Amino acid sequence: MKPYRKDQLKKIRIALILDSKKRTNYIIKHNIFGQVGENFFFQPRIIPSDPKLIKFHNNVTVTSNVTFVNHDVFHEGLNRLGKGTFSYYSREIEVFDNVFIGCNSTILPGVKIGPNAVIAAGSVVTKDVKENTVVAGNPARVIETFDEYLEKRKRDN
């Protein structure tokens, strides 16, 4: 079987695993992403088209329906303009230690998410996220520091 076909079958298999912990274990066992650190949790059932371009460090939690977009195919449209030749665009996404990515967020190509960061649910991350920050919105912007967020959560317990 061709390697491309095997990768597609793995993606289908991942989508069919209903239990998030089992899905995460499968992803780790089969080296789906470019890198996965310790204490990784991946809830989405859809794997991006270029998963080897995504690196996760330690203590990363990715919640449901998060989309990682590490490429675009706009070169197809640009090439039809007759104003030059444009190639396929893809960039690595890197998520550092102690990061939480909320549900329905989208991470765009080339983004680096620094350590101790929180991406609020529904955010669209278009540029790098600095260390010790909480970002939210479309496009995502800093709303507070990680320490401020931590204090709020302590009070809410």
mmCIF file of all heavy atoms in Angstrom, residues 114-137:
data_model
loop_
_atom_site.group_PDB
_atom_site.id
_atom_site.type_symbol
_atom_site.label_atom_id
_atom_site.label_comp_id
_atom_site.label_asym_id
_atom_site.label_seq_id
_atom_site.Cartn_x
_atom_site.Cartn_y
_atom_site.Cartn_z
ATOM 1 N N GLY A 114 3.624 30.140 22.534
ATOM 2 C CA GLY A 114 4.628 30.094 23.593
ATOM 3 C C GLY A 114 4.177 29.319 24.815
ATOM 4 O O GLY A 114 2.994 29.015 24.979
ATOM 5 N N PRO A 115 5.120 29.009 25.705
ATOM 6 C CA PRO A 115 4.800 28.263 26.922
ATOM 7 C C PRO A 115 3.829 29.026 27.818
ATOM 8 O O PRO A 115 3.799 30.252 27.815
ATOM 9 C CB PRO A 115 6.144 28.094 27.624
ATOM 10 C CG PRO A 115 7.189 28.594 26.712
ATOM 11 C CD PRO A 115 6.536 29.335 25.607
ATOM 12 N N ASN A 116 3.051 28.250 28.577
ATOM 13 C CA ASN A 116 2.092 28.809 29.539
ATOM 14 C C ASN A 116 1.117 29.768 28.858
ATOM 15 O O ASN A 116 0.929 30.894 29.293
ATOM 16 C CB ASN A 116 2.811 29.514 30.687
ATOM 17 C CG ASN A 116 3.740 28.576 31.421
ATOM 18 O OD1 ASN A 116 3.423 27.414 31.622
ATOM 19 N ND2 ASN A 116 4.896 29.079 31.798
ATOM 20 N N ALA A 117 0.493 29.289 27.804
ATOM 21 C CA ALA A 117 -0.475 30.095 27.073
ATOM 22 C C ALA A 117 -1.824 29.396 27.047
ATOM 23 O O ALA A 117 -1.904 28.165 27.081
ATOM 24 C CB ALA A 117 0.007 30.353 25.646
ATOM 25 N N VAL A 118 -2.866 30.197 26.994
ATOM 26 C CA VAL A 118 -4.226 29.697 26.856
ATOM 27 C C VAL A 118 -4.826 30.353 25.621
ATOM 28 O O VAL A 118 -4.771 31.572 25.464
ATOM 29 C CB VAL A 118 -5.087 30.036 28.097
ATOM 30 C CG1 VAL A 118 -6.540 29.613 27.885
ATOM 31 C CG2 VAL A 118 -4.514 29.395 29.349
ATOM 32 N N ILE A 119 -5.402 29.520 24.749
ATOM 33 C CA ILE A 119 -6.127 30.008 23.581
ATOM 34 C C ILE A 119 -7.602 29.801 23.907
ATOM 35 O O ILE A 119 -8.055 28.672 24.067
ATOM 36 C CB ILE A 119 -5.753 29.206 22.306
ATOM 37 C CG1 ILE A 119 -4.241 29.078 22.122
ATOM 38 C CG2 ILE A 119 -6.451 29.803 21.093
ATOM 39 C CD1 ILE A 119 -3.489 30.353 22.005
ATOM 40 N N ALA A 120 -8.345 30.889 24.050
ATOM 41 C CA ALA A 120 -9.761 30.797 24.414
ATOM 42 C C ALA A 120 -10.565 30.138 23.295
ATOM 43 O O ALA A 120 -10.205 30.203 22.118
ATOM 44 C CB ALA A 120 -10.308 32.187 24.719
ATOM 45 N N ALA A 121 -11.671 29.528 23.671
ATOM 46 C CA ALA A 121 -12.552 28.860 22.713
ATOM 47 C C ALA A 121 -12.960 29.822 21.600
ATOM 48 O O ALA A 121 -13.221 30.998 21.830
ATOM 49 C CB ALA A 121 -13.788 28.340 23.422
ATOM 50 N N GLY A 122 -12.972 29.299 20.371
ATOM 51 C CA GLY A 122 -13.414 30.070 19.222
ATOM 52 C C GLY A 122 -12.416 31.064 18.677
ATOM 53 O O GLY A 122 -12.748 31.835 17.780
ATOM 54 N N SER A 123 -11.202 31.055 19.168
ATOM 55 C CA SER A 123 -10.193 32.016 18.711
ATOM 56 C C SER A 123 -9.627 31.624 17.356
ATOM 57 O O SER A 123 -9.556 30.447 17.015
ATOM 58 C CB SER A 123 -9.048 32.099 19.726
ATOM 59 O OG SER A 123 -9.512 32.581 20.958
ATOM 60 N N VAL A 124 -9.205 32.629 16.611
ATOM 61 C CA VAL A 124 -8.477 32.407 15.364
ATOM 62 C C VAL A 124 -7.090 32.998 15.560
ATOM 63 O O VAL A 124 -6.927 34.212 15.650
ATOM 64 C CB VAL A 124 -9.191 33.064 14.165
ATOM 65 C CG1 VAL A 124 -8.379 32.858 12.888
ATOM 66 C CG2 VAL A 124 -10.592 32.492 14.007
ATOM 67 N N VAL A 125 -6.101 32.117 15.642
ATOM 68 C CA VAL A 125 -4.733 32.538 15.943
ATOM 69 C C VAL A 125 -3.997 32.737 14.625
ATOM 70 O O VAL A 125 -3.694 31.782 13.917
ATOM 71 C CB VAL A 125 -4.026 31.504 16.852
ATOM 72 C CG1 VAL A 125 -2.620 31.978 17.200
ATOM 73 C CG2 VAL A 125 -4.837 31.260 18.115
ATOM 74 N N THR A 126 -3.712 34.007 14.329
ATOM 75 C CA THR A 126 -3.098 34.372 13.052
ATOM 76 C C THR A 126 -1.620 34.700 13.178
ATOM 77 O O THR A 126 -0.934 34.821 12.168
ATOM 78 C CB THR A 126 -3.814 35.596 12.441
ATOM 79 O OG1 THR A 126 -3.685 36.692 13.346
ATOM 80 C CG2 THR A 126 -5.281 35.302 12.188
ATOM 81 N N LYS A 127 -1.155 34.898 14.423
ATOM 82 C CA LYS A 127 0.257 35.224 14.638
ATOM 83 C C LYS A 127 0.717 34.584 15.940
ATOM 84 O O LYS A 127 -0.086 34.070 16.717
ATOM 85 C CB LYS A 127 0.476 36.734 14.654
ATOM 86 C CG LYS A 127 -0.318 37.477 15.689
ATOM 87 C CD LYS A 127 -0.133 38.973 15.536
ATOM 88 C CE LYS A 127 -0.992 39.711 16.546
ATOM 89 N NZ LYS A 127 -0.871 41.144 16.435
ATOM 90 N N ASP A 128 2.020 34.625 16.189
ATOM 91 C CA ASP A 128 2.594 33.978 17.358
ATOM 92 C C ASP A 128 1.941 34.465 18.648
ATOM 93 O O ASP A 128 1.564 35.630 18.768
ATOM 94 C CB ASP A 128 4.097 34.248 17.440
ATOM 95 C CG ASP A 128 4.877 33.562 16.334
ATOM 96 O OD1 ASP A 128 4.289 32.761 15.570
ATOM 97 O OD2 ASP A 128 6.084 33.818 16.235
ATOM 98 N N VAL A 129 1.828 33.533 19.598
ATOM 99 C CA VAL A 129 1.289 33.842 20.918
ATOM 100 C C VAL A 129 2.457 33.856 21.893
ATOM 101 O O VAL A 129 3.196 32.877 21.999
ATOM 102 C CB VAL A 129 0.243 32.791 21.348
ATOM 103 C CG1 VAL A 129 -0.224 33.038 22.780
ATOM 104 C CG2 VAL A 129 -0.930 32.779 20.374
ATOM 105 N N LYS A 130 2.610 34.973 22.587
ATOM 106 C CA LYS A 130 3.720 35.106 23.514
ATOM 107 C C LYS A 130 3.538 34.231 24.748
ATOM 108 O O LYS A 130 2.419 33.884 25.123
ATOM 109 C CB LYS A 130 3.893 36.570 23.941
ATOM 110 C CG LYS A 130 4.359 37.459 22.821
ATOM 111 C CD LYS A 130 4.559 38.874 23.298
ATOM 112 C CE LYS A 130 5.016 39.739 22.134
ATOM 113 N NZ LYS A 130 5.172 41.125 22.526
ATOM 114 N N GLU A 131 4.652 33.944 25.372
ATOM 115 C CA GLU A 131 4.696 33.177 26.610
ATOM 116 C C GLU A 131 3.852 33.859 27.692
ATOM 117 O O GLU A 131 3.760 35.079 27.752
ATOM 118 C CB GLU A 131 6.176 33.123 27.030
ATOM 119 C CG GLU A 131 6.468 32.442 28.292
ATOM 120 C CD GLU A 131 7.971 32.369 28.555
ATOM 121 O OE1 GLU A 131 8.777 32.838 27.723
ATOM 122 O OE2 GLU A 131 8.316 31.843 29.612
ATOM 123 N N ASN A 132 3.204 33.035 28.534
ATOM 124 C CA ASN A 132 2.440 33.523 29.697
ATOM 125 C C ASN A 132 1.300 34.457 29.329
ATOM 126 O O ASN A 132 1.078 35.461 30.004
ATOM 127 C CB ASN A 132 3.368 34.213 30.708
ATOM 128 C CG ASN A 132 4.344 33.232 31.311
ATOM 129 O OD1 ASN A 132 3.953 32.151 31.735
ATOM 130 N ND2 ASN A 132 5.608 33.596 31.322
ATOM 131 N N THR A 133 0.574 34.127 28.252
ATOM 132 C CA THR A 133 -0.557 34.973 27.878
ATOM 133 C C THR A 133 -1.811 34.148 27.641
ATOM 134 O O THR A 133 -1.750 32.945 27.382
ATOM 135 C CB THR A 133 -0.271 35.798 26.604
ATOM 136 O OG1 THR A 133 0.063 34.900 25.541
ATOM 137 C CG2 THR A 133 0.848 36.786 26.805
ATOM 138 N N VAL A 134 -2.936 34.828 27.730
ATOM 139 C CA VAL A 134 -4.232 34.266 27.360
ATOM 140 C C VAL A 134 -4.726 35.105 26.191
ATOM 141 O O VAL A 134 -4.760 36.341 26.282
ATOM 142 C CB VAL A 134 -5.233 34.332 28.531
ATOM 143 C CG1 VAL A 134 -6.597 33.797 28.103
ATOM 144 C CG2 VAL A 134 -4.706 33.572 29.740
ATOM 145 N N VAL A 135 -5.074 34.445 25.096
ATOM 146 C CA VAL A 135 -5.561 35.157 23.926
ATOM 147 C C VAL A 135 -6.975 34.698 23.602
ATOM 148 O O VAL A 135 -7.358 33.564 23.896
ATOM 149 C CB VAL A 135 -4.635 34.985 22.694
ATOM 150 C CG1 VAL A 135 -3.235 35.506 22.984
ATOM 151 C CG2 VAL A 135 -4.583 33.550 22.228
ATOM 152 N N ALA A 136 -7.738 35.606 22.979
ATOM 153 C CA ALA A 136 -9.115 35.301 22.594
ATOM 154 C C ALA A 136 -9.502 36.156 21.410
ATOM 155 O O ALA A 136 -8.956 37.238 21.203
ATOM 156 C CB ALA A 136 -10.053 35.575 23.765
ATOM 157 N N GLY A 137 -10.485 35.693 20.650
ATOM 158 C CA GLY A 137 -11.075 36.489 19.589
ATOM 159 C C GLY A 137 -10.644 36.104 18.197
ATOM 160 O O GLY A 137 -9.900 35.158 17.983
#
